[in-house]
Amino acid sequence: MKERYYSIDIYKLIAALLIVSVHTVLFWNYEEGTGQWYAAWMLMAVARNGVPLFFMASAFLLYSHQEDRSRSQTRRLLTLYSTWCIFTLPFILYTYYHLFSKEGYDFLQLLTYFFKQFFFIGLCGGGWFVLSTIWCIWIVKYLAPKSSVLLWGLSLFLYLLSIMDSSYYFLLGQGMLFNEVRTFFGSFCNFIPAALLFFVIGKTFAEHKTWIPIWKKHRTKLYVATLLAIGMNVIELGWCIQSGYVGSTLRTDSTFSLPLSACLLMATSLTFNLKPRQIYRRLRNCSTMIYFIQFPIIRILFAIGIRSWTAYLLTLVLGFTFSLLIFFLEKKFKQVNVLY
């Protein structure tokens, strides 16, 4: 019987809560040098582990199966993506209306922007995660049987592009060629470059489950190493902010120390022995819905002037309420499960 790691479901919910904080508790909304400013960017540094955890958990669960599930998982993800695009269609249409009427986009510019969103960065809020996962599935399917060295090399190179597009942009990412390629894809820190490395790490964990008993045996050392790695990530991001490398873009998505802290966090998630409970599946489904519903909620809250911790708490309350509503409706309408 295949072992099920229920702790991953809990970690995915924690990751979703961290991701919401990244989009609401923004350090640049506070006066520089204040206690709130320091607390906000330190929280952001910790919370940046959320997206990598999502990618690693998705890959771990996908490749824990013996059979090739690339096609079925792609269909499931496309259904999820399409559903949330339809669910948030008013926000998508308003975005294009704003680009046309307020920012002066012509038809060709709108079409180009649609192309970027449709294939790379996502039409709905958070859609880039689904699209990047699909791209990762097929990149791994093609490259993994040919050369693991090539797959790891490509993953590391692309992740460097993500670093250049975010925390180190004003140190590394100023080249004309880099910016032209980046503009074509829309973003490097919200697309495959920010995803493939963590996806490959999750796949590696799934293929080497013999490591897990070793981690359990040395779990105290693992937990200490994880805390130290997170501390390194906080220090590195703080240095990037203080040095001005983040600059006016204010992107903090990727750092050199993030793969280490995220990798160790994923390892810790596999050291817990939890008994099967229905609640774990609900938490996993809830994490998906909170991840997607946060974007329209935050957009509305910001539009009416609600920001920071108030926006964070309200987003969580409304996100959990929405999830409970969907679980209630699911008893009568099974079709609503396409939302997770």
Side-chain angles (χ1 to χ4, degrees), residues 203-218:
K203 177 180 182 292
T204 303
F205 282 6
E207 293 172 343
H208 295 84
K209 291 180 182 175
T210 52
W211 297 347
I212 297 176
I214 301 174
W215 295 337
K216 289 181 178 180
K217 182 179 179 180
H218 302 282

Side-chain angles (χ1 to χ4, degrees), residues 49-62:
N49 289 277
V51 169
L53 279 174
F54 258 103
F55 281 117
M56 287 187 289
S58 297
F60 181 86
L61 295 174
L62 174 62

